Amino acid sequence: MLQYFQKCLRKQLAEHRVRKTRLVSKDGRCNIEFGNVEYHSHFAFLKDFWNTIVEIRWRYVLFIFVASFTGSWFLFGLLWYGIAKSNGDLTEQNPPSNHTPCVINVYGLTTAFLFSLETQTTIGYGYRATTDHCALAVTLVIIQAVVGAIINCFMCGIILSKISLPKKRAKTINFSRTAVISKKGGKLCLLIRVANLRKTLLIGSQIYGKLLRTTITPEGETVILDQVNIDFMVDAGKDNLFFVCPLTLYHIIDKTSPFFEMSEDTISKQDFELVVFLDGTAENTSSTCQVRTSFIPMEIQWGYSFLPIVSRTKEGKYRVDFSNFHKTTLVPTPHCAYCLDNGDQHSTSGKKGIDNPGFEAIVVSEAAAVTKM
């Protein structure tokens, strides 16, 4: 039992170290903080108050929503109370029977607050109303109506903006938990699987990656988080992806790739982070979104390939089995990219390929394959 708890503790500590050293989390959040920011720089967030409010948490937005309305109602209620007091309308002032009030049935702070609420929300119960006796009261009605309309527009815009944030669309884009390295088209490639969980497409999708690592320049300068471009593509290219079903993206490990000097034995000992980006425009909202994820050396499997997930039903429809989305299997893979270039076919597995039992093959006769002119 003690050994079991020690094993769990070591696993949790290892996961904590992974989360601590990862710049981009698996769900795309950046693990970075800013320190020693000059005091006057904080006012830049107030100048850009719209984006500041849109980016804060929902609990603060709801607090601002409630506080802006109740605060404005109470503030104008105090103004209505002041007008009533200056005109002698309050009960404690004992107005005469022939007294003409500025606002009918406003004779205290509570009734002034209720009239303020009714005016700004345009409820209009008909029990309290202004008279033409006080020009200041008429002016205040106009001012409160304008201020109330501004608050309504502002808060509705904030809520709609938060609901329709492009990063919400990114929640329905899934990357595989691990990347794999295997042969594809006779070349050693690093492969990643990505899926769109919605049937609406991402228009103009582009995929690219950045390899983050610490390097030392020839001048002896240590560069933390040095970025190296990593090109990803599919068989049809790397731009304008047809994202109707899960895609397997691959990066060719050639002499220009930073993975060329790595091998099956050394890749787990490297210190780097592979950040993958997917940019696209939502088909239904025309909003641009970006999806991010990252892979560290222990999340890259050498000598593996993804299991097939696309099959065809008896009705002729294509079916995606997401139970195999993250699953991998051993395949014949060279020990390193240099071994492949020099003809050394030393492999990590003796298996020749991957079967897809769910996909029904179509037999095409020779006569049907001939095109007549």
Side-chain angles (χ1 to χ4, degrees), residues 63-274:
F63 174 77
I64 294 174
F65 181 87
V66 174
S68 60
F69 283 107
T70 56
S72 61
W73 296 338
F74 183 74
L75 177 61
F76 280 100
L78 293 177
L79 296 178
W80 287 116
Y81 178 80
I83 290 177
K85 185 176 182 180
S86 63
N87 194 51
D89 300 339
L90 302 181
T91 304
E92 60 266 20
Q93 293 177 319
N94 297 319
S97 59
N98 60 348
H99 176 73
T100 303
C102 289
V103 182
I104 301 173
N105 293 321
V106 173
Y107 42 79
L109 184 59
T110 303
T111 54
F113 175 79
L114 292 175
F115 178 72
S116 173
L117 188 152
E118 295 170 15
T119 301
Q120 188 166 326
T121 57
T122 65
I123 293 177
Y125 290 123
Y127 184 67
R128 299 178 181 86
T130 56
T131 63
D132 57 358
H133 180 69
C134 299
L136 183 59
V138 176
T139 304
L140 188 59
V141 168
I142 298 173
I143 295 175
Q144 186 172 6
V146 173
V147 172
I150 294 175
I151 295 176
N152 286 335
C153 294
F154 181 78
M155 295 311 304
C156 289
I158 289 293
I159 293 177
L160 289 176
S161 297
K162 284 192 69 66
I163 293 175
S164 59
L165 280 176
K167 65 181 181 180
K168 302 299 182 183
R169 177 65 176 89
K171 298 297 182 181
T172 55
I173 305 296
N174 282 359
F175 283 93
S176 56
R177 285 192 292 264
T178 60
V180 297
I181 295 179
S182 60
K183 289 178 62 177
K184 181 178 178 62
K187 298 180 180 179
L188 192 64
C189 298
L190 184 143
L191 299 94
I192 297 172
R193 179 173 278 175
V194 59
N196 178 19
L197 300 182
R198 290 189 180 274
K199 292 186 178 180
T200 54
L201 302 180
L202 284 179
I203 303 172
S205 301
Q206 295 181 342
I207 188 76
Y208 56 95
K210 300 287 184 181
L211 187 71
L212 309 179
R213 58 185 179 182
T214 301
T215 60
I216 300 177
T217 63
E219 294 77 17
E221 178 185 1
T222 301
V223 181
I224 301 177
L225 298 180
D226 185 27
Q227 301 184 16
V228 180
N229 290 326
I230 301 295
D231 293 328
F232 283 94
M233 63 184 69
V234 294
D235 291 332
K238 61 179 181 179
D239 297 329
N240 300 321
L241 305 179
F242 186 43
F243 213 172
V244 68
C245 64
L247 299 176
T248 301
L249 313 170
Y250 63 90
H251 163 72
I252 301 176
I253 303 178
D254 52 16
K255 294 183 179 179
T256 62
S257 172
F259 297 97
F260 185 77
E261 301 296 333
M262 303 180 191
S263 66
E264 181 183 2
D265 300 328
T266 62
I267 189 170
S268 60
K269 303 175 184 179
Q270 301 293 322
D271 184 15
F272 65 84
E273 180 177 353
L274 175 62

